[in-house]
Amino acid sequence: MTQIPAASSNGGASGDVPGMGRRQFMNLLTFGSVTGVALGALYPVVNYFIPPKAAGSGGGVTAKDELGNSVTATGWLATHKEGDRSLVQGLKGDPTYLLVEGGEAIGDYGINAICTHLGCVVPWNSGANKFICPCHGSQYDATGKVVRGPAPLSLALAHVSVENDNVFLSQWTETDFRTGEKAWWA
């Protein structure tokens, strides 16, 4: 007859630490898998609510063309001549005019194209040499200063800078050079 050794007081044989049971291992494996999948699914949701970081050293955003591609100074100047005012996607996604100045250079400021009356996009009228809102007839001069209402304020400005051939737009917080007053949009 064979004898079965008596169980020790710690629940295991001969003082060894008892191993993890199959059920505990499967529970741990299931919990880890479910947690990993849940965190992987939550990452894009949380990332959606975090604003993008600024791309330029001046705390600005990269200007984008109508197709969503980054605007480069050489590419822009190759297709836009002196005096041109064309739209790019600017700060907060607002349409912003880039100005091409003499000497094959992009201007150091951009003009936000959102009318200060009711929020329409204001097109550039090259024949009249001003911005004219199609909704209610507000007019702005070539720098975006309001010259005829009902718009109460001039168009907002943005700083334009070129770094490594990339065009960046950043918030304009200084005094409005057109009116000599504090920037209302800052």
Side-chain angles (χ1 to χ4, degrees):
M1 213 175 357
T2 33
Q3 270 191 328
I4 300 175
S8 64
S9 62
N10 67 2
S14 66
D16 289 339
V17 176
M20 183 183 300
R22 250 185 258 170
R23 180 171 292 201
Q24 284 179 315
F25 175 73
M26 290 306 290
N27 286 343
L28 184 64
L29 186 65
T30 302
F31 177 76
S33 299
V34 169
T35 303
V37 169
L39 290 176
L42 282 177
Y43 175 77
V45 173
V46 171
N47 201 31
Y48 175 79
F49 291 103
I50 298 172
K53 292 185 174 38
S57 63
V61 297
T62 306
K64 305 281 185 184
D65 64 11
E66 66 273 4
L67 300 176
N69 300 319
S70 295
V71 174
T72 61
T74 53
W76 191 261
L77 293 171
T79 57
H80 299 84
K81 300 304 174 204
E82 182 179 346
D84 182 71
R85 287 167 171 74
S86 295
L87 290 172
V88 296
Q89 180 181 340
L91 299 172
K92 301 180 208 163
D94 285 351
T96 303
Y97 285 100
L98 280 186
L99 314 173
V100 178
E101 297 178 340
E104 300 271 324
I106 295 176
D108 61 352
Y109 70 93
I111 302 171
N112 187 309
I114 302 297
C115 182
T116 58
H117 178 232
L118 290 177
C120 303
V121 175
V122 182
W124 170 250
N125 186 321
S126 58
N129 200 32
K130 56 184 157 184
F131 299 96
I132 301 175
C133 182
C135 299
H136 296 103
S138 295
Q139 296 182 11
Y140 306 87
D141 69 8
T143 64
K145 180 181 178 184
V146 68
V147 293
R148 180 172 165 234
L153 301 166
S154 298
L155 297 173
L157 297 174
H159 285 289
V160 176
S161 61
V162 178
E163 298 173 19
N164 299 327
D165 200 39
N166 292 314
V167 178
F168 294 100
L169 298 169
S170 58
Q171 186 70 36
W172 185 290
T173 57
E174 297 82 28
T175 302
D176 185 348
F177 66 87
R178 303 165 300 185
T179 62
E181 297 175 4
K182 184 178 181 245
W184 63 264
W185 57 89

